[in-house]
């Protein structure tokens, strides 16, 4: 079966294809019709580009420049994997025929690197750091279309919507936060017609996967700080000065419950752990004694019971980011519900608090990227209100919108709600 994400199938003459698609592009601009020989991913992108009232002769705007650009990209998560991009794609970027580019989730180019001569040619179409290359501002192109469809893709020559870009061919792949699944951006290679081959698409796909793997492995931990990871897992993990300690389920619950400045008395801890009708002070003291042996005596205080020193817990980080008005950052830090397998009353209360605050903040943004990330998580997959908000936030031609409407219909049936009422809420 032919790969729909590849621009040229084996045996197709590039020059003939350029002429064929170029004629289709002109027909589309004049009459709005797309001949069947145009790839579906391209035809859909042309329609989205036209729907954004984009001038096919225009060049993308510059969104960020100078100090604002430098500050933004220094703080961006993909800055941590820029050396990896250079290692994997550096040869291509310096061979005199290609460029390597990295953009954020909004299509803003963060880095564009390559041979100076090629960079000068790219500058003429504003393919420069800080420029906005999402489909709404640049039309059909590999990084922008990869973000729009959330899939790696090649865009070949006259498949580009914007005429100034049609001398180029590019391949790009989206990159996601490995903990949350949120779209972070895309990595791209751009050059001449010879890039329309399976190898270039495979290369950007592999580079994107390698970047996600490194982001997962390189979560920074401050020296002397206890880092607690308890989101999206039934057993918490501690990182202390490079050491990793994985706790059992009961010790994980205790650790989460102890992470508060005022600590807990034995009675409070028992209620949080066992509930009103099952207080077991002897069992609790034994569990705390075993936990102290695992952590070391320097990390656990008694009277009241609490953790010593500086503790960075992922579920607390989510709350801190929300308090600072950063729902996108909070979603980045959220790896899933807190100890989802725990039925300890105190843990269940805290789980509901974290999930509820994050959900409310994401819904309030009306940001389709954040809403898509939330509905893609276990906590949001059955959230009818979030799916309705996502459908409202997406434009009519967006690829995700039919999926959102289908999920709304499915959940409405499960919740025994009238379909018309549910769909109307999605449009309002």
């Amino acid at each position: 079966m032919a790969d729909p994400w590849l621009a040229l199938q084996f045996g197709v003459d590039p020059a003939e294809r350029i002429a064929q698609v170029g004629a289709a592009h002109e027909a589309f601009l004049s009459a709005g019709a797309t001949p069947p020989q145009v790839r579906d991913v391209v035809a859909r992108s042309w329609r989205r580009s036209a729907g954004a009232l984009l001038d096919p002769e225009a060049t993308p705007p510059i969104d960020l420049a100078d100090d604002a650009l430098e500050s933004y990209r220094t703080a961006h998560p993909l800055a941590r994997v820029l050396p990896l991009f250079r290692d994997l794609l550096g040869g291509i970027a310096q061979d005199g025929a290609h460029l390597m580019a990295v953009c954020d989730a909004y299509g803003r180019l963060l880095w564009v690197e390559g041979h100076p001569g090629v960079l000068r040619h790219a500058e003429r179409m504003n393919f420069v750091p800080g420029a906005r290359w999402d489909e709404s501002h640049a039309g059909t192109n590999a990084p922008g279309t990869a973000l729009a469809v959330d899939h790696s893709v090649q865009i070949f020559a006259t498949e580009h919507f914007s005429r100034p870009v049609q001398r180029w061919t590019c391949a790009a792949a989206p990159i996601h936060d490995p903990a949350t699944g949120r779209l972070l951006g895309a990595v791209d290679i751009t050059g001449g017609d010879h890039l329309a081959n399976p190898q270039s698409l495979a290369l950007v796909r592999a580079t994107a996967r390698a970047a996600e793997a490194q982001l997962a492995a390189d979560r920074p931990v401050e020296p002397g700080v206890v880092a607690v990871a308890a989101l999206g897992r039934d057993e918490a993990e501690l990182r202390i000065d490079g050491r990793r300690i994985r706790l059992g389920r009961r010790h994980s619950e205790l650790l989460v419950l102890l992470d508060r400045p005022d600590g807990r008395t034995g009675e409070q801890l028992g209620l949080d752990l066992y509930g009103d009708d099952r207080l077991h002070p002897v069992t609790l003291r034994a569990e705390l004694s075993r936990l102290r042996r695992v952590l070391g005596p320097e990390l656990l205080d008694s009277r009241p019971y609490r953790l010593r020193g500086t503790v960075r817990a992922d579920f607390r980080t989510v709350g801190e980011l929300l308090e600072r008005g950063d729902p996108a950052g909070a979603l980045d830090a959220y790896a899933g519900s807190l100890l989802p397998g725990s039925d300890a009353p105190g843990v269940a209360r805290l789980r509901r608090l974290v999930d509820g605050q994050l959900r409310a903040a994401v819904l309030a943004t009306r940001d389709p990227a954040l809403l898509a990330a939330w509905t893609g998580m276990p906590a949001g997959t059955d959230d009818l209100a979030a799916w309705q908000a996502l459908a409202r936030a997406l434009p009519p031609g967006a690829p995700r919108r039919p999926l959102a409407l289908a999920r709304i219909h499915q959940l409405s049936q499960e919740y025994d709600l009238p379909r018309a009422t549910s769909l109307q809420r999605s449009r309002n």
Side-chain angles (χ1 to χ4, degrees):
M1 180 181 294
D3 185 344
W5 309 103
L6 277 173
L8 290 182
Q9 302 304 321
F10 181 75
V12 174
D13 179 72
E16 182 179 330
R17 184 65 176 161
I18 288 173
Q20 182 185 57
V21 177
H25 182 259
E26 293 305 316
F28 174 79
L29 293 179
S30 61
T34 50
Q37 60 266 35
V38 177
R39 287 190 294 156
D40 185 61
V41 64
V42 173
R44 289 175 180 271
S45 180
W46 284 359
R47 289 194 287 270
R48 291 193 296 271
S49 302
L53 303 179
L54 189 69
D55 181 353
E57 299 294 343
T59 54
I62 304 293
D63 244 17
L64 296 170
D66 303 324
D67 291 344
L69 170 63
E70 188 58 34
S71 298
Y72 179 76
R73 65 184 181 180
T74 298
H76 197 276
L78 292 181
R80 301 204 298 271
V81 288
L82 181 59
L84 180 144
F85 294 142
R86 288 171 173 159
D87 284 345
L88 296 179
L89 302 177
I92 281 183
Q94 293 298 329
D95 68 357
H98 303 85
L99 298 175
M100 175 197 78
V102 180
C103 69
D104 69 4
Y106 305 99
R108 286 179 292 226
L109 296 179
L110 303 179
W111 297 276
V112 181
E113 300 183 358
H115 189 277
V118 187
L119 287 170
R120 283 193 295 272
H121 285 296
E123 287 172 3
R124 298 171 188 167
M125 59 177 184
N126 268 2
F127 197 75
V128 295
R132 190 75 180 267
W133 276 75
D134 60 318
E135 287 187 338
S136 296
H137 295 86
T140 306
N141 70 93
T145 302
L147 296 175
V149 301
D150 199 14
H151 199 285
S152 53
V153 66
Q154 278 179 347
I155 299 297
F156 172 65
T158 45
E159 289 183 331
H160 288 91
F161 183 82
S162 176
R163 290 192 183 100
V165 192
Q166 290 183 345
R167 58 164 293 186
W168 301 85
T169 291
C170 43
I175 303 166
H176 302 84
D177 183 285
T180 66
R182 180 171 172 252
L183 189 62
L184 296 178
V187 61
D188 165 85
I189 51 177
T190 291
D193 300 344
H194 53 279
L195 271 182
N197 60 66
Q199 290 76 23
S200 68
L201 190 60
L203 179 59
V204 292
R205 283 172 174 166
T207 301
R209 300 297 80 76
E212 291 172 348
Q214 183 169 320
L215 288 170
D218 290 350
R219 292 186 183 181
V221 178
E222 302 168 53
V225 172
V226 179
V228 178
L231 292 175
R233 56 175 73 208
D234 290 328
E235 296 180 337
E237 180 182 273
L238 277 73
R239 295 179 67 181
I240 308 169
D241 294 332
R243 294 186 296 123
R244 296 190 182 195
I245 302 172
R246 185 171 179 175
L247 301 177
R249 181 167 296 195
R250 185 61 81 191
H251 286 172
S252 298
E253 294 169 337
L254 280 169
L255 187 74
V256 165
L257 295 170
L258 289 168
D259 182 33
R260 46 187 301 166
D262 54 345
R264 306 297 277 164
T265 66
E267 183 177 0
Q268 290 171 328
L269 203 53
L271 289 170
D272 283 343
L273 197 62
Y274 302 114
D276 293 334
D277 56 347
R278 294 194 295 128
L279 290 175
H280 302 291
V282 175
T283 303
L284 176 62
R285 285 194 295 271
E287 292 286 4
L288 287 166
S289 178
R290 285 191 284 269
L291 179 61
R292 183 177 279 108
R293 287 198 295 271
V294 172
L295 301 180
E298 70 279 0
L299 291 181
L300 184 58
D301 263 339
S302 55
R303 297 183 182 179
Y305 295 106
R306 60 186 167 193
L307 299 176
R308 289 179 184 165
T310 304
V311 179
R312 298 275 188 267
D314 55 0
F315 57 96
R316 300 292 182 198
T317 299
V318 171
E320 291 164 4
L321 290 166
L322 290 175
E323 288 176 5
R324 295 205 295 264
D326 184 7
L331 199 57
D332 278 340
Y334 179 81
S337 292
L338 175 65
L339 300 181
S342 172
D343 59 1
V347 174
R349 283 195 302 273
L350 187 54
R351 182 193 306 133
R352 290 193 296 270
L353 177 66
V354 174
D355 287 355
Q357 289 180 336
L358 180 60
R359 174 186 181 272
V362 169
L363 263 64
T365 68
R366 301 182 182 179
D367 184 321
L370 299 186
L371 289 164
W374 173 254
T375 53
M377 297 176 177
T381 188
D382 295 330
D383 189 339
L384 177 58
W387 283 105
Q388 291 169 332
L390 176 60
R392 290 194 297 270
L394 291 169
R400 290 192 184 96
R401 196 166 191 273
L403 300 177
L405 293 174
R407 186 61 177 152
I408 290 167
H409 176 55
Q410 183 181 29
L411 289 174
S412 298
Q413 288 183 317
E414 292 178 7
Y415 300 153
D416 198 24
L417 296 175
R419 183 185 181 191
T421 301
S422 180
L423 291 177
Q424 184 64 35
R425 288 174 180 170
S426 305
R427 298 187 183 105
N428 295 335

